[in-house]
Amino acid sequence: RPPRPPPPGAPTARVLFLTDLHWDRRYAAGSDPDCPDPLCCRSPALPGPGGAGFWGEYGKCDLPLRTIAALLAGLPRAGPFAAAYWTGDIPAHDVWQQRREDQLLALRTVSALLRRHLGALPVFPAVGNHETTPVNAFPPPYVRGNQSAAWLYDAMAEAWRDWLPPAALRTLRAAGFYTAAVWPGLRLVSLNMNFCSQANFWLLINSTDPAGQLQWLVGVLEAAERDGEKVHIIGHIPPAHCMRSWSWNYYRIVNRFEGTIAAQFFGHTHVDEFEMFYDEETLTRPVSVAFVAPSVTTYINLNPGYRVYEVDGAYPGSSHAVLDHETFILNLTEANALGAEPRWQRLYGAREAYAMAGAFPADWDLLIRRFQDDERLFQRFWYHFHKGHPPREPCLEACKAALLCALRTARSADPELCRPLRPTRPFRHIQELWRQRRLC
């Protein structure tokens, strides 16, 4: 039974969504934004005018802490919020320089900043791939001693203890995932998507379910189904970016519990997109959407941004599904002008921008089909995809085919999901284009 629009006058709730903050401690206004290193805009500053802007810069650059603080300080204008979901990637992209002490400083500093600005708002975090060092290295829980990730999970449990209940903190300490109640009738599951990551070399040992997380997820969803709860799933890496065995098993779980999983929320790619789930029997009936929100950081060549989801609220019979979403950005060209102050502005609302009747899975599936024939609508999506700062090169036939295929594909390396799209292209060519745009 597909979700239905809420009855007139039913309460709704706004959920703040933050992802990929990437705080750079060495960010320096006036420094070189076009350096030869993997990360730029870092001290020392260049002599004379020009260089990186005060609030951030387009290019291979992350953010100073003041920009993240300005975002948080301006949130009351976009609120009020019922909860906040925060899906990781706290440190900068200077991965070749990072030590455990650097990662822990970033975790504690940014967590304290959120706590100071968000006050009593419930915050539900997830683990990003940049939280550890070496980057992406998340050993399974059975790895003990100095090679284990206990140093990171213990620090997270300490930094987030005011936000999460004791049972959630226990599984967080064990393997970086947890479940907790958001409000009556709605349960949250925070997954450690590093156990599906194609960049996590520990998964060469076992990539199927290395931490028993999928088996645990099935148990949580079974209990929620039995108790009449709906579930929101959050995580860092979107399912289509996972290793094939994990991704296909996760896809099957979403199919089995389509009546229980009300929404899915991810980050990691830094751009504004989504991934569709269809019934496994025919691959035609849309059953779920994984929303992939844009990053707070500018890396690479983007405006800073964040997302607010409007969801069906807390009342008997609520679907707790996403009803709409809004994206907010900081226009760096305006913010870095002489004498200007940072002004976070609403870039767009999804249903308004795309003339959607609703925001349920069938509506997003229909939108992909409309993109095929309505070039103006697709180019509007391309503009939003880059948070209002698209590249100079337009997204033409090959680019469009690859992007529409990505939107339709929440199951890793599955050419069947893209066969209905026009124009058809060999799946290996589409995968090559995907690899070119993966940034993080």
Side-chain angles (χ1 to χ4, degrees), residues 2-3 262-265 271-278 284-294 307-311 320-327 346 348-372 377-378 380-382 384-385 403-410 417 421:
Q264 305 176 64
F265 308 95
V271 288
D272 184 343
E273 53 187 329
F274 58 92
E275 296 176 357
M276 294 296 305
F277 289 73
Y278 297 90
T284 59
R285 183 175 62 85
V287 300
S288 189
V289 182
F291 294 99
V292 183
R307 168 68 54 79
V308 176
Y309 291 97
E310 182 186 4
V311 302
H320 300 288
V322 172
L323 305 176
D324 200 359
H325 67 63
E326 297 174 298
T327 298
R346 182 180 184 267
Y348 79 103
R351 289 180 60 182
E352 175 189 15
Y354 303 128
M356 300 171 70
F360 296 140
D363 299 298
W364 292 99
D365 173 64
L366 176 60
L367 182 63
I368 296 174
R369 286 184 273 137
R370 290 170 59 207
F371 283 156
Q372 293 184 109
L377 186 67
F378 174 75
R380 185 179 304 158
F381 176 78
W382 180 247
H384 296 152
F385 182 85
L403 182 50
L404 294 186
C405 183
L407 298 180
R408 213 176 184 276
T409 308
L417 288 159
L421 295 171

Side-chain angles (χ1 to χ4, degrees), residues 150-436:
W151 64 273
L152 177 62
Y153 299 147
D154 287 345
M156 287 177 168
E158 183 65 25
W160 301 341
R161 63 182 179 180
D162 295 335
W163 292 330
L164 302 177
L169 293 173
R170 283 194 294 273
T171 57
L172 175 65
R173 285 183 186 274
F177 53 83
Y178 65 88
T179 181
V182 182
W183 55 66
L186 178 62
R187 175 161 296 279
L188 178 127
V189 169
S190 177
L191 295 178
N192 186 346
M193 300 298 285
N194 297 292
F195 291 129
C196 79
S197 171
Q198 298 172 4
N200 184 359
F201 58 77
W202 284 98
L203 301 192
L204 292 170
I205 301 171
N206 172 14
S207 62
T208 305
D209 192 15
Q213 182 176 215
L214 290 178
Q215 189 65 52
W216 169 85
L217 174 62
V218 168
V220 172
L221 292 172
E222 283 180 333
E225 182 182 67
R226 181 190 64 234
D227 298 339
E229 291 181 315
K230 299 294 184 182
V231 173
H232 284 177
I233 295 176
I234 67 171
H236 184 67
I237 300 172
H241 291 243
C242 291
M243 296 189 74
R244 191 176 190 274
S245 57
W246 200 101
S247 178
W248 283 55
N249 284 331
Y250 180 79
Y251 202 94
R252 177 164 292 180
I253 291 169
V254 171
N255 263 257
R256 163 62 183 83
F257 293 99
E258 64 168 294
T260 299
I261 299 171
Q264 305 176 64
F265 308 95
F266 298 92
H268 181 63
T269 69
H270 294 198
V271 288
D272 184 343
E273 53 187 329
F274 58 92
E275 296 176 357
M276 294 296 305
F277 289 73
Y278 297 90
D279 71 292
E280 289 190 299
E281 290 75 18
T282 68
L283 295 180
T284 59
R285 183 175 62 85
V287 300
S288 189
V289 182
F291 294 99
V292 183
S295 62
V296 173
T297 187
T298 55
Y299 192 93
I300 295 175
N301 239 357
L302 302 166
N303 285 309
Y306 68 92
R307 168 68 54 79
V308 176
Y309 291 97
E310 182 186 4
V311 302
D312 205 1
Y315 62 90
S318 171
S319 69
H320 300 288
V322 172
L323 305 176
D324 200 359
H325 67 63
E326 297 174 298
T327 298
F328 295 81
I329 64 162
L330 178 66
N331 185 312
L332 285 180
T333 304
E334 296 175 0
N336 287 328
L338 188 64
E341 291 293 324
R343 185 176 66 86
W344 293 82
Q345 55 192 276
R346 182 180 184 267
L347 178 64
Y348 79 103
R351 289 180 60 182
E352 175 189 15
Y354 303 128
M356 300 171 70
F360 296 140
D363 299 298
W364 292 99
D365 173 64
L366 176 60
L367 182 63
I368 296 174
R369 286 184 273 137
R370 290 170 59 207
F371 283 156
Q372 293 184 109
D373 301 315
D374 190 334
E375 190 62 24
R376 175 180 285 186
L377 186 67
F378 174 75
Q379 293 302 329
R380 185 179 304 158
F381 176 78
W382 180 247
Y383 179 78
H384 296 152
F385 182 85
H386 292 95
K387 290 183 284 180
H389 192 255
R392 291 194 180 118
E393 305 79 20
C395 187
L396 302 178
E397 185 181 351
C399 166
K400 181 176 179 178
L403 182 50
L404 294 186
C405 183
L407 298 180
R408 213 176 184 276
T409 308
R411 188 160 69 177
S412 178
D414 184 5
E416 294 297 322
L417 288 159
C418 296
R419 292 199 194 281
L421 295 171
R422 306 185 315 274
T424 57
R425 282 184 170 267
F427 190 62
R428 66 181 183 277
H429 294 170
I430 285 174
Q431 288 181 304
E432 288 170 6
L433 290 166
W434 286 353
R435 282 190 286 271
Q436 290 172 18

Side-chain angles (χ1 to χ4, degrees), residues 18-22 87-89 236 267-270 293 295-297 440:
L18 301 171
T19 190
D20 297 273
L21 278 65
H22 289 293
T87 59
D89 269 15
H236 184 67
H268 181 63
T269 69
H270 294 198
S295 62
V296 173
T297 187
C440 197

